[in-house]
Amino acid sequence: MGRPLRIAIDGPAASGKSTLAQRLAAHLGYAYIDTGVMYRAVTWAALQRGIPVTDENALTRLAETLDLDILPPTVADGRPYTVLVESVDITWALRSPEVDAAVSQVSTYPGVRRALTQRQRQLGLRGRVVMVGRDIGTVVLPEADLKLYLDADLETRAWRRYRELQERGETVSFEEVLETMRQRDALDRGREVAPLRPAPDAIVLDTTAMDIEEVFQRVLALIEARCQETPHVAG
Ligand code: DC
């Protein structure tokens, strides 16, 4: 088997998926695609337009029609990409506590998922991608050559997210972050369509006691091992 061309990384919020994926993509010269951005963009647009997060039909129409662009970074402020909705730069607005609190609800709706999964699959099938989300290995790109599932305990993940928010100057308490994350976990894992879970052939990594460098090195070793595997020849 050669170098994996489609890498899927799934896992709960703040398990380290995005950081790992960005490093891997840069290292391999692949595209980095963060599918959570699409759910966040639909949620942000709904909040802006006063669409209730309970209005499944309106949210589905929004997901089907939203003018959304994900581009390489246009500003050197640490962003991994630039996200435009109707040409407005919403890259950082997508990370607000308001979007955090509503996005998991929005992503439970089958119509929203259908629309966004279709867009994601088109991008993933191009190959040379590291794609990150909740259902990449199970639904969006089940044919991925390497599937990773990152996990970490709830408190650790809440601390990571709390520190990120603080660094960006958001005023939010640790308890609020913890509670939001607990609720998001329950919604992401419990929803009927494409719930968060490892694909049967995914490699599960618990990052609770690992820093990003350790995770990165571990995954590089896995990729190296895949490259060395010789295909079984029958007869
Ligand atoms: O990875 P993130 O925190 O930016 O994702 C935001 C939300 O989007 C997450 O709570 C669940 C949803 N999501 C999803 O349902 N499926 C994906 N492939 C990616 C994200």
Side-chain angles (χ1 to χ4, degrees):
M1 190 187 281
R3 195 196 225 199
L5 292 176
R6 295 169 188 154
I7 301 177
I9 307 182
D10 291 302
S15 54
K17 310 180 296 281
S18 308
T19 318
L20 171 67
Q22 282 170 58
R23 287 197 59 178
L24 270 184
H27 181 83
L28 298 169
Y30 287 9
Y32 161 55
I33 302 171
D34 175 2
T35 58
V37 159
M38 297 190 187
Y39 292 94
R40 286 176 180 273
V42 170
T43 305
W44 178 86
L47 294 173
Q48 284 289 309
R49 296 172 194 191
I51 299 173
V53 292
T54 46
D55 189 341
E56 182 170 352
N57 290 335
L59 290 165
T60 298
R61 269 197 306 282
L62 188 60
E64 286 168 349
T65 55
L66 191 66
D67 175 14
L68 168 67
D69 266 320
I70 306 171
L71 310 170
T74 53
V75 183
D77 59 0
R79 62 179 63 194
Y81 38 64
T82 288
V83 185
L84 302 179
V85 161
E86 283 161 1
S87 308
V88 178
D89 184 343
I90 59 159
T91 311
W92 292 117
L94 291 180
R95 304 284 152 193
S96 70
E98 292 75 24
V99 171
D100 258 7
V103 64
S104 288
Q105 177 67 38
V106 171
S107 60
T108 58
Y109 300 127
V112 171
R113 301 204 69 83
R114 205 176 313 117
L116 298 187
T117 297
Q118 213 174 357
R119 293 191 192 201
Q120 292 158 11
R121 199 167 155 69
Q122 281 166 5
L123 295 172
L125 287 175
R126 293 182 189 164
R128 298 178 65 86
V129 289
V130 182
M131 200 171 226
V132 176
R134 301 290 187 290
D135 59 344
I136 309 305
T138 50
V139 176
V140 176
L141 221 48
E143 62 273 81
D145 314 290
L146 177 64
K147 299 181 187 178
L148 302 169
Y149 185 93
L150 263 52
D151 211 343
D153 67 32
L154 174 67
E155 294 250 334
T156 304
R157 292 186 288 112
W159 268 114
R160 290 175 184 168
R161 182 53 47 87
Y162 174 65
R163 282 200 305 269
E164 266 173 39
L165 290 169
Q166 273 199 323
E167 276 165 25
R168 287 210 303 276
E170 302 272 0
T171 43
V172 64
S173 72
F174 172 72
E175 285 67 32
E176 280 173 78
V177 176
L178 182 69
E179 191 43 39
T180 302
M181 196 158 284
R182 196 194 307 280
Q183 287 169 10
R184 286 180 60 193
D185 278 2
L187 282 166
D188 290 352
R189 293 195 170 110
R191 68 178 172 231
E192 275 177 33
V193 183
L196 168 66
R197 66 171 57 122
D201 51 347
I203 296 164
V204 179
L205 290 175
D206 186 335
T207 71
T208 304
M210 290 166 91
D211 65 23
I212 182 60
E213 186 58 30
E214 286 172 88
V215 179
F216 180 60
Q217 292 303 332
R218 180 88 70 90
V219 173
L220 281 189
L222 282 171
I223 292 175
E224 189 56 31
R226 289 281 169 109
C227 293
Q228 305 298 326
E229 277 172 24
T230 42
H232 175 74
V233 182

